Amino acid sequence: MIALAALLPSGVAAAGPDRDGGGGQAEGHRRHARDPALQTLADRVVADPQPNPGAFLYARDGARVRSGAAGLADRSTGAPMDPDLRFRAGSITKTFTATVVLQLVAEHRLRLDDTVQHLLPDQVRADNALSGAPITVRQLLNHTSGLYDYLEGLLPRFRGLDQYWPRDQLIGIGLAEARYFPAPGTRFRYSNTNYLLLDLIVERVTDRDLRTNLERRIFKPLGLRDTSYPLADTTIDGPHAHGYADVSQLLPHVPDPTRYDVTSLSPSEAGASGALVTTAADTARFYRALLRGRLLPPAVLRRMLDDTVRTTHAPRPAVGYGLGVYVYATDCGPAYGHGGSAPGYLTFALNSRDGDHQLVAHTNWNPLVETGLDKPFWAAFQEGYCARPSTT
């Protein structure tokens, strides 16, 4: 058995039940108070004519946990939405991936200014996007590489919801197209290709795949027993919310194509950029541990949060992006975290800088193809973050 201390950067303490108010599993399934303000917001998200089958908002203020939930987690059985259910977390995965990368930086096994071309020379070809100006690890982390987002090239290759997408194929799609801009580091352009390359870098540096690194460095030390990183398995183990999407452009002849059950979707299409399955409690626990310095040394954590670029093509409250973390401008001050968009699922995690005030907001409807902003949900999670506990 490998000692826990060997899996963490020097000077970083392991988070355990005695340091964080209870173990991960107990925290995830404890009774949390239904809060009138959060309940009102959840009700608003699922109210007709909105397409969202269900929604919840899960807040933590210090040791106090409260929530609101409305609608259905499973339309076929009528099971109600509940904050304890597992769901696909989408791009919240990026903060987990970035944390592993920054742990390697803290261990002096990797530098933010190392270039992809140096770390992954086999990926460089005269006919792909890595043949241009060098791209650094920092620029992958903060989405200033300019690399084409492979997700934009998936639809013509779509064959079915359970289709397995090899990482090399996805990276190939991302590198086969011209960069969005030629000079890396000059501006922000979100691209999932960046995080697949980081996945490959982690594997090369540690000689272990990303799943093993996530499990040994984050999941097990923090007791995230309801969190997993599946790639080939299209099912979600344990109690979970079903995800629904608008598949009318892909599968127009299926019953109810605007709210079609896409739960059994291959997570391989997201990988290190979005394959995580988790719960609200585990998500909050991860961000709390991260922001309180239990996963990264102080200097590296400050760099993660403060080495930001101004976001473009992202609606407010997102105003900046650090090294795997969004900065949100809310009515009650800046918040840190990430959004997660997966087919059938939409989640946002917002946290105060010290990790003491947190909100995880989730709805189990999200289109496979872009159909515009989910405005009621967007408004609800912003308002929910700033809502303080009821005194009643």
Side-chain angles (χ1 to χ4, degrees):
M1 181 178 293
I2 299 176
L4 177 59
L7 302 177
L8 295 173
S10 176
V12 179
D18 59 328
R19 294 177 57 86
D20 208 20
Q25 190 173 35
E27 178 184 350
H29 298 285
R30 68 172 54 157
R31 291 179 61 85
H32 28 84
R34 287 298 171 100
D35 181 81
L38 298 183
Q39 185 60 49
T40 297
L41 294 172
D43 289 337
R44 187 191 305 170
V45 172
V46 302
D48 288 336
Q50 305 306 326
N52 310 66
F56 69 72
L57 292 95
Y58 171 101
R60 181 166 178 134
D61 309 277
R64 180 174 181 180
V65 178
R66 55 199 173 87
S67 67
L72 301 177
D74 186 342
R75 296 176 67 205
S76 65
T77 66
M81 179 58 79
D82 190 282
D84 290 336
L85 296 174
R86 297 177 186 178
F87 54 84
R88 298 196 189 279
S91 288
I92 287 173
T93 307
K94 289 183 173 69
T95 309
F96 285 74
T97 301
T99 299
V100 172
V101 172
L102 291 173
Q103 286 179 342
L104 296 176
V105 171
E107 295 164 10
H108 306 290
R109 302 171 71 181
L110 192 62
R111 296 180 303 173
L112 289 174
D113 291 329
D114 285 342
T115 67
V116 181
Q117 288 83 348
H118 172 72
L119 294 166
L120 304 174
D122 56 305
Q123 296 295 316
V124 182
R125 296 200 310 268
D127 62 346
N128 76 14
L130 292 182
S131 63
I135 294 169
T136 66
V137 170
R138 176 186 285 104
Q139 291 159 353
L140 296 179
L141 285 167
N142 67 12
H143 295 293
T144 62
S145 72
L147 292 174
Y148 175 79
D149 188 346
Y150 74 86
L151 283 182
E152 295 188 14
L154 289 193
L155 286 183
R157 299 170 171 85
F158 175 81
R159 299 293 180 269
L161 295 177
D162 60 353
Q163 178 177 352
Y164 181 78
W165 300 87
R167 180 184 59 190
D168 289 348
Q169 179 187 9
L170 300 178
I171 290 175
I173 294 170
L175 298 183
E177 300 294 330
R179 300 183 187 186
Y180 294 123
F181 46 88
T186 55
R187 59 189 175 95
F188 175 87
R189 182 61 153 82
Y190 195 91
S191 173
N192 290 279
T193 304
N194 294 324
Y195 277 71
L196 295 196
L197 289 170
L198 288 169
D199 176 5
L200 189 53
I201 289 170
V202 168
E203 189 173 288
R204 297 282 176 86
V205 170
T206 66
D207 200 29
R208 297 188 179 104
D209 62 19
L210 181 63
R211 177 190 284 113
T212 301
N213 276 284
L214 288 169
E215 289 173 348
R216 293 183 176 185
R217 293 170 173 271
I218 299 176
F219 300 170
K220 291 181 180 178
L222 297 185
L224 305 185
R225 297 180 179 89
D226 292 320
T227 299
S228 60
Y229 179 70
L231 289 179
D233 192 353
T234 61
T235 62
I236 301 177
D237 292 335
H240 60 275
H242 282 237
Y244 299 90
D246 183 346
V247 297
S248 54
Q249 294 188 37
L250 295 175
L251 305 169
H253 303 299
V254 300
D256 199 1
T258 61
R259 285 200 292 182
Y260 186 73
D261 191 327
V262 295
T263 308
S264 296
L265 180 96
S266 174
S268 61
E269 59 90 23
S273 69
L276 205 71
V277 170
T278 189
T279 62
D282 273 10
T283 301
R285 186 174 177 85
F286 162 70
Y287 277 106
R288 193 162 61 255
L290 175 65
L291 292 166
R292 291 180 177 179
R294 295 175 185 168
L295 294 172
L296 296 171
V300 179
L301 177 60
R302 283 195 300 271
R303 185 168 290 182
M304 183 186 210
L305 302 179
D306 296 337
D307 189 359
T308 60
V309 293
R310 186 171 62 86
T311 55
T312 53
H313 307 290
R316 290 178 71 87
V319 294
Y321 198 90
L323 305 181
V325 178
Y326 268 109
V327 181
Y328 298 99
T330 75
D331 290 341
C332 51
Y336 301 83
H338 216 290
S341 178
Y345 302 89
L346 182 61
T347 313
F348 282 88
L350 276 70
N351 310 268
S352 59
R353 177 87 179 213
D354 60 5
D356 196 54
H357 178 57
Q358 302 179 279
L359 180 83
V360 180
H362 175 80
T363 180
N364 59 339
W365 184 86
N366 198 16
L368 279 176
V369 292
E370 186 60 46
T371 59
L373 188 65
D374 189 337
K375 292 181 179 179
F377 180 70
W378 188 267
F381 88 78
Q382 295 179 69
E383 189 175 338
Y385 177 73
C386 289
R388 290 301 185 256
S390 171
T391 57
T392 60

